[in-house]
Amino acid sequence: DAGITQSPRHKVTETGTPVTLRCHQTENHRYMYWYRQDPGHGLRLIHYSYGVKDTDKGEVSDGYSVSRSKTEDFLLTLESATSSQTSVYFCAISGTGAINTEAFFGQGTRLTVV
Amino acid sequence: ELKVEQNPLFLSMQEGKNYTIYCNYSTTSDRLYWYRQDPGKSLESLFVLLSNGAVKQEGRLMASLDTKARLSTLHITAAVHDLSATYFCAATFGGSNYKLTFGKGTLLTVNP
């Protein structure tokens, strides 16, 4: 299995509180992604990173921020959680070039905002 | 806008039958991926297709890529119940920008 770990795996939080999800990889892959998965919407990209300190927005980035200070860690922060952010969050990693072609997913974080 | 469209979104099959899931994408792609997801689980990588005409097979699943038509297919041969899952295709767009964009998924149910 690819070395990618998400933490926490489950979290319940109250509306208005900040929340940070962590994605840690041991594959030294350049690209890291945060997705949310909701019924009827498939996987939607929140933010992604193409290197240390290099990040960009995805299609559903409002209300989320990210940081990548090290190759191995990609953090997703909900500044002030809302009920609409209740979802399953997946981190993914991918390499570049002809060798590292796979894109692997973490186990997911189930976030409930009450 | 970069789009990846799958069809059908729902597929109910009988065991032993063949069927194909289609994945269209809106612009030139570097890579085309197929994933499987079981309920409550993460996504499992099935295939990565890199070039026009690429074909990969694993068991009863075969994926192909036609870059000119911007189309990938996932063909299921002689379906069995264990293939019941949601299947996603995804594509990366742009020369050095490996943003990975997903289709909405196909929920496959294989009935005895």
Side-chain angles (χ1 to χ4, degrees):
Chain A
D1 290 344
I4 175 170
T5 305
Q6 290 184 232
S7 59
R9 294 290 311 280
H10 302 272
K11 187 171 182 65
V12 179
T13 193
E14 292 186 347
T15 298
T17 60
V19 178
T20 295
L21 309 182
R22 182 184 186 229
C23 179
H24 178 78
Q25 62 149 326
T26 57
E27 304 294 324
N28 201 35
H29 280 343
R30 179 180 177 186
Y31 287 86
M32 299 185 76
Y33 311 82
W34 277 107
Y35 294 88
R36 60 178 290 173
Q37 185 174 32
D38 306 287
H41 292 277
L43 283 106
R44 293 182 290 174
L45 182 64
I46 304 171
H47 283 278
Y48 67 106
S49 169
Y50 46 96
V52 173
K53 298 192 189 311
D54 292 323
T55 64
D56 204 351
K57 296 179 180 180
E59 61 179 308
V60 290
S61 58
D62 287 349
Y64 301 94
S65 63
V66 290
S67 67
R68 191 170 178 197
S69 58
K70 298 184 289 185
T71 299
E72 57 266 36
D73 289 326
F74 192 32
L75 304 180
L76 177 70
T77 297
L78 290 66
E79 303 289 348
S80 178
T82 67
S83 59
S84 65
Q85 294 175 311
T86 293
S87 186
V88 179
Y89 292 86
F90 286 101
C91 175
I93 61 173
S94 70
T96 59
I99 298 177
N100 294 322
T101 59
E102 299 269 4
F104 297 105
F105 280 76
Q107 293 303 102
T109 296
R110 184 173 296 276
L111 177 67
T112 303
V113 183
V114 298
Chain B
E1 183 180 344
L2 306 174
K3 288 186 178 180
V4 176
E5 296 186 350
Q6 279 180 245
N7 68 85
L9 298 182
F10 300 93
L11 178 55
S12 181
M13 302 175 60
Q14 282 189 316
E15 282 190 329
K17 299 293 186 182
N18 304 333
Y19 210 85
T20 300
I21 299 170
Y22 297 89
C23 176
N24 290 93
Y25 52 97
S26 61
T27 188
T28 303
S29 172
D30 298 277
R31 303 172 182 178
L32 196 294
Y33 298 83
W34 284 97
Y35 291 90
R36 169 183 171 142
Q37 186 180 37
D38 293 300
K41 302 294 185 181
S42 184
L43 282 80
E44 173 191 356
S45 178
L46 295 174
F47 303 108
V48 182
L49 304 170
L50 301 178
S51 58
N52 188 44
V55 177
K56 290 192 175 181
Q57 183 163 4
E58 180 73 32
R60 300 175 188 274
L61 302 177
M62 183 175 71
S64 65
L65 180 62
D66 181 344
T67 58
K68 294 180 182 178
R70 296 178 184 164
L71 171 69
S72 180
T73 59
L74 181 67
H75 187 72
I76 303 154
T77 302
V80 294
H81 180 69
D82 285 351
L83 290 179
S84 297
T86 299
Y87 293 85
F88 291 94
C89 67
T92 56
F93 299 94
S96 60
N97 180 350
Y98 288 97
K99 188 164 68 172
L100 190 58
T101 302
F102 278 80
K104 292 193 184 301
T106 298
L107 176 59
L108 171 66
T109 304
V110 181
N111 303 302

